[in-house]
Structures are given as structure tokens and as C-alpha cells.
């Protein structure tokens, strides 16, 4: 898997000429095409976002709503191996180091809140969102890569 992720990322970067800095907002409805875990699986929860593992997240629907709260939800479709479910979140766009666009998802309530700060990968365009969440030391390559397609 360690050799597969750099290849996928380089191919995705080569396909797109638009950078993530042009991406304004994930507002709308999206479908998760894939979720990849790179590096040490143990650094990621068995259930991502308190909902499911990466296999059950595939084909999930992500709804980004705007308004005063900028809320959203992840909805799982039932399948033979996975149960249906829903996880609500709050979101906001940020600028990170080197003016890179980032998406902050806040999941949970009160003391149970958890934040996931995703970098938008360079191949993100208005109808395709590529996100990377790193956990632990960046040089170890521990990352979660998500690919979402706008519906």
C-alpha cells in the first residue's frame, strides 16, 4: 500500500490542472468514491468519524449545507456487510500553510467533539474533492485519503 498511494496521488495530480486554492466550498451533495488508509492502520479509529470503517464508507453520501452553522451529514447506505447510519458534522474552509485550502470537520457534541483537518489535494476541482487527513508524524506517511464526487 505504501507504494500504491504515491502512484495514485501523482496520477491524480497529473490529470488536473486546477489547484485546490481555486476551490471555494464543498457546499452541496457528494458521494464518497473511495477511502484509503496509508501507513499505520492502528493510528486511525476502527470506525472513521464514529460511523464505519473505510470499506463501509464507500458510496456514502456527504451533505454540506450552508447557513449560519455550516452543518452537514454523512449517510451510509445499507449493504450486506455494513449497516446504515448517519453522522452529523460542522464544517468550515480554512487556509493552511502555503495558502493551501483546508476543510475542517467537527464531529460530535460537547466534550465528545473531534476535529478532522483535511488538506485539499492539488487535483481538487469543483465537482471532485480529494482530501487528505494526516495523523501522527507526517514523515511516517500516516494518512487517510478520501475521494468525493459531486452529485
Amino acid at each position: 500500500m505504501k507504494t500504491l498511494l504515491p502512484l495514485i496521488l501523482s496520477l491524480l495530480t497529473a490529470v488536473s490542472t486546477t489547484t485546490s486554492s481555486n476551490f471555494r466550498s464543498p457546499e452541496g451533495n457528494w458521494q464518497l468514491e473511495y477511502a484509503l488508509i496509508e501507513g499505520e492502520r492502528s493510528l486511525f479509529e476502527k470506525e472513521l468519524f464514529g460511523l464505519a470503517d473505510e470499506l463501509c464508507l464507500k458510496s456514502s453520501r456527504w451533505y454540506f449545507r450552508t447557513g449560519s452553522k455550516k452543518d452537514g451529514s454523512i449517510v451510509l447506505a445499507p449493504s450486506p456487510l455494513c449497516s446504515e447510519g448517519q453522522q452529523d458534522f460542522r464544517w468550515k474552509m480554512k487556509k493552511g500553510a502555503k495558502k493551501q485550502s483546508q476543510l475542517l470537520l467537527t464531529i460530535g457534541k460537547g466534550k465528545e467533539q473531534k476535529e478532522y483537518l483535511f488538506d485539499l489535494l492539488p487535483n481538487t476541482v469543483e465537482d471532485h474533492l480529494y482530501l487528505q487527513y494526516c495523523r501522527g508524524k507526517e514523515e511516517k506517511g500516516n494518512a487517510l485519503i478520501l475521494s468525493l464526487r459531486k452529485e
Side-chain angles (χ1 to χ4, degrees):
M1 189 63 154
K2 278 197 171 228
T3 58
L4 182 61
L5 186 62
L7 175 63
I8 290 171
L9 292 176
S10 64
L11 287 173
L12 291 173
T13 302
V15 169
S16 176
T17 58
T18 306
T19 65
S20 65
S21 62
N22 294 333
F23 187 82
R24 304 230 186 282
S25 171
E27 180 182 345
N29 303 332
W30 299 79
Q31 181 176 8
L32 184 75
E33 292 184 312
Y34 64 81
L36 296 173
I37 293 177
E38 162 75 12
E40 298 177 46
R41 293 187 66 80
S42 63
L43 287 179
F44 294 92
E45 296 82 5
K46 288 182 182 178
E47 291 192 356
L48 298 172
F49 315 118
L51 190 60
D53 65 20
E54 74 270 18
L55 297 175
C56 290
L57 279 175
K58 186 174 181 187
S59 298
S60 60
R61 303 278 194 247
W62 294 51
Y63 302 100
F64 290 87
R65 293 177 282 283
T66 59
S68 62
K69 292 188 177 182
K70 288 192 173 178
D71 63 347
S73 57
I74 302 168
V75 178
L76 296 179
S79 73
L81 299 174
C82 308
S83 60
E84 62 185 315
Q86 178 173 325
Q87 180 62 267
D88 295 329
F89 60 82
R90 294 195 53 182
W91 65 274
K92 71 178 175 179
M93 295 297 296
K94 298 177 68 169
K95 287 287 182 190
K98 301 177 188 170
K99 298 188 180 189
Q100 179 179 4
S101 294
Q102 295 179 313
L103 173 65
L104 177 64
L105 293 184
T106 304
I107 297 175
K109 296 181 181 182
K111 293 181 180 181
E112 301 297 318
Q113 281 189 348
K114 181 151 186 174
E115 292 186 337
Y116 296 87
L117 184 60
F118 288 91
D119 290 325
L120 273 68
L121 295 176
N123 46 322
T124 293
V125 292
E126 292 302 316
D127 65 346
H128 221 113
L129 184 57
Y130 296 98
L131 302 170
Q132 178 177 335
Y133 169 71
C134 291
R135 183 148 185 197
K137 295 185 178 181
E138 192 173 326
E139 62 272 10
K140 292 210 176 219
N142 297 313
L144 169 66
I145 308 292
L146 301 178
S147 171
L148 295 116
R149 181 180 36 82
K150 194 152 196 172
E151 295 185 319

